[in-house]
Amino acid sequence: MKWRALLFVSATTAFCLGLGAAIPEQSLREAAQGSALLIGTAVRPAQLSEPAYASTLAREFNMLEPEDALKWEVVHPEPQSFDFSQGDQIVDFAARHDMKIRGHTLVWHRQNPKWLTEKKYTSAELAEILEKHIKTVVGHYRGKIFAWDVVNEAFDELHPGTLRSTIWRDQPGIGTTEDTAASYELRATDNSVRSKLAARGSQQGYIEQCFRWTHQADPQALLFYNEAEAEVLNPKSDAIYAMVRDFRQRGVPIDGVGFQMHVANLHADVASISANIKRFTALGVQVHITEMDVALPLDASANPRAEDLQKQADVYRQIATACLSHPGCTAIQTWGFTDKYSWIGSHSKQTQGAALPFDRNYRCKPAYEGLRSALESGRR
Ligand code: XIL
């Protein structure tokens, strides 16, 4: 690792003074270059006009993802109208700073507008709404967004291996198109196999259909299935693995799996995460770590403990190292980058926070150093 004496610190590295007497020479995006890894973060358009936010973002990352700006409630506020103003601001920023853009997310059970969730639609109507949404949003950003989280968090936490109840799953018929039925028929050799596949097909049919529609709207975009709490080997990741394998075998257009990586209680089973990345990439799909943060308990003055900051640095370093050890793990993204703006505060009712690599004043934390050292030593 190269270090630059404090005296010669350039303006661009001055934000990292929090680290002490020596200043790291490379930003995260510079450190990631040697391993062809994308290093990204979720962003909020309202903050792009804040100089420290914008300069840190541009200096440190080569990829970004709208945190909320492309969710249904923002981008599709009325049945007949789309609002791309927030998403477009982010796309402009990315273009000016040579950053790639991940799109998040086309199909989810949260942050949907009331006009969608409170009215009862028939399956045919819902399918038409969903197809129009996907094709309009993906079409608007065709050639600009290189990878999409097509479907987010479709599997259930409480009933491992099954799909969660959502407006999309609970409306049978969205995905039972001729395409889906025909590709299942092709594989079914006897009646019992046929009925098993048909049952799974009718449950997961909407997911498959969404991947097909997205691919039609932008054939160049990489299409991801994104999920929470499936980073390790567990029943949920087993079910996703079976789905992805089935999609690949039947030619459903899927290119990758996103593991969110919201780490709680400073606990990450890195060996299991690594084994999971290995089995997914062996299917021929890419893995992106899409929403990493490592939440810490906070004291009454909203500060984390010093020893927890060191443990947090280890978690960032170990997980980045695990990703880098698999050629098919091609991106690491944090869910925001400064503790000033992180969903963990409201999500944990302010009992946790300090989850990101930069503190509230944009100073680099030990977590930043953990991440950067993994990127520097993980050349491949
Ligand atoms: C969160 C955002 O960070 C918040 O701003 C919003 O209020 C709620 O959603 N998994 C996901 C993300 O896939 O979209 C969520 O983002 C965090 C959990």
Side-chain angles (χ1 to χ4, degrees):
M1 190 191 302
K2 292 183 198 149
W3 295 88
R4 191 183 287 174
L6 186 56
L7 257 159
F8 303 109
V9 172
S10 74
T12 54
T13 52
F15 287 118
C16 294
L17 281 171
L19 278 176
I23 298 300
E25 192 166 69
Q26 293 189 304
S27 67
L28 296 178
R29 72 184 283 177
E30 287 165 344
Q33 250 167 22
S35 50
L37 185 89
L38 292 167
I39 178 84
T41 186
V43 299
R44 300 182 178 182
Q47 264 51 70
L48 292 174
S49 53
E50 188 183 325
Y53 185 94
S55 61
T56 308
L57 177 61
R59 185 185 75 231
E60 299 291 341
F61 299 94
N62 57 23
M63 178 174 79
L64 50 67
E65 172 168 314
E67 182 169 347
D68 292 301
L70 294 181
K71 291 174 180 170
W72 276 70
E73 65 178 7
V74 180
V75 86
H76 200 167
E78 304 293 338
Q80 300 307 333
S81 68
F82 288 83
D83 180 354
F84 294 112
S85 53
Q86 292 194 31
D88 289 355
Q89 268 181 270
I90 294 174
V91 170
D92 285 352
F93 185 92
R96 277 187 277 120
H97 298 285
D98 193 22
M99 304 165 97
K100 289 201 166 205
I101 308 161
R102 290 189 94 259
H104 176 81
T105 173
L106 297 168
V107 188
W108 196 26
H109 59 288
R110 290 183 188 275
Q111 293 180 271
N112 287 321
K114 285 203 168 73
W115 67 260
L116 177 68
T117 53
E118 290 185 357
K119 193 176 155 191
K120 188 92 188 100
Y121 296 97
T122 65
S123 296
E125 286 168 336
L126 209 50
E128 198 183 320
I129 291 169
L130 186 54
E131 178 176 4
K132 180 179 159 199
H133 176 86
I134 289 177
K135 292 193 171 169
T136 306
V137 176
V138 175
H140 182 83
Y141 292 111
R142 189 180 161 124
K144 295 182 175 155
I145 288 189
F146 88 108
W148 275 102
D149 287 337
V150 178
V151 178
N152 191 33
E153 298 181 354
F155 283 87
D156 203 296
E157 262 85 49
L158 302 175
H159 305 98
T162 65
L163 291 184
R164 148 197 330 273
S165 163
T166 70
I167 50 169
W168 315 115
R169 191 213 70 172
D170 298 347
Q171 195 86 358
I174 291 182
T176 39
T177 62
E178 280 168 20
D179 260 4
T180 321
S183 80
Y184 275 108
E185 289 277 311
L186 270 179
R187 282 185 57 214
T189 48
D190 64 47
N191 280 343
S192 72
V193 175
R194 191 174 294 211
S195 64
K196 253 196 215 149
L197 286 173
R200 196 164 74 197
S202 69
Q203 271 245 316
Q204 293 178 357
Y206 86 87
I207 301 180
E208 170 171 347
Q209 187 58 71
C210 292
F211 276 84
R212 292 189 188 279
W213 283 328
T214 310
H215 184 65
Q216 286 164 15
D218 186 352
Q220 304 302 320
L222 298 176
L223 309 189
F224 280 71
Y225 175 78
N226 195 52
E227 187 57 88
E229 292 166 24
E231 294 81 9
V232 293
L233 300 168
N234 63 19
K236 201 193 241 191
S237 62
D238 288 348
I240 298 166
Y241 180 81
M243 179 184 77
V244 174
R245 188 178 52 192
D246 170 49
F247 280 10
R248 297 288 289 180
Q249 283 170 351
R250 290 186 301 108
V252 180
I254 185 166
D255 303 286
V257 173
F259 295 129
Q260 293 185 4
M261 207 68 74
H262 294 290
V263 178
N265 307 318
L266 278 167
H267 176 75
D269 184 344
V270 180
S272 186
I273 290 170
S274 188
N276 202 29
I277 294 174
K278 186 174 182 191
R279 69 169 170 166
F280 274 93
T281 54
L283 290 176
V285 293
Q286 299 184 34
V287 165
H288 284 180
I289 290 171
T290 51
E291 306 185 11
M292 185 163 180
D293 50 23
V294 182
L296 300 182
L298 300 179
D299 65 19
S301 332
N303 292 317
R305 284 191 291 262
E307 70 259 33
D308 283 350
L309 289 172
Q310 294 303 329
K311 289 183 196 157
Q312 180 185 53
D314 276 346
V315 174
Y316 271 99
R317 186 177 45 74
Q318 288 171 8
I319 290 179
T321 302
C323 173
L324 283 157
S325 69
H326 302 284
C329 188
T330 49
I332 300 176
Q333 182 169 258
T334 56
W335 204 237
F337 54 97
T338 164
D339 292 337
K340 191 172 179 184
Y341 307 113
S342 159
W343 78 304
I344 293 294
S346 58
H347 184 64
S348 69
K349 302 200 168 62
Q350 314 305 328
T351 59
Q352 302 209 327
L356 294 165
F358 292 87
D359 73 9
R360 304 176 74 86
N361 297 309
Y362 297 95
R363 285 181 306 229
C364 304
K365 292 161 60 183
Y368 171 89
E369 185 50 32
L371 193 49
R372 208 179 52 97
S373 69
L375 298 175
E376 281 191 338
S377 47
R379 294 181 187 283
R380 53 182 185 181

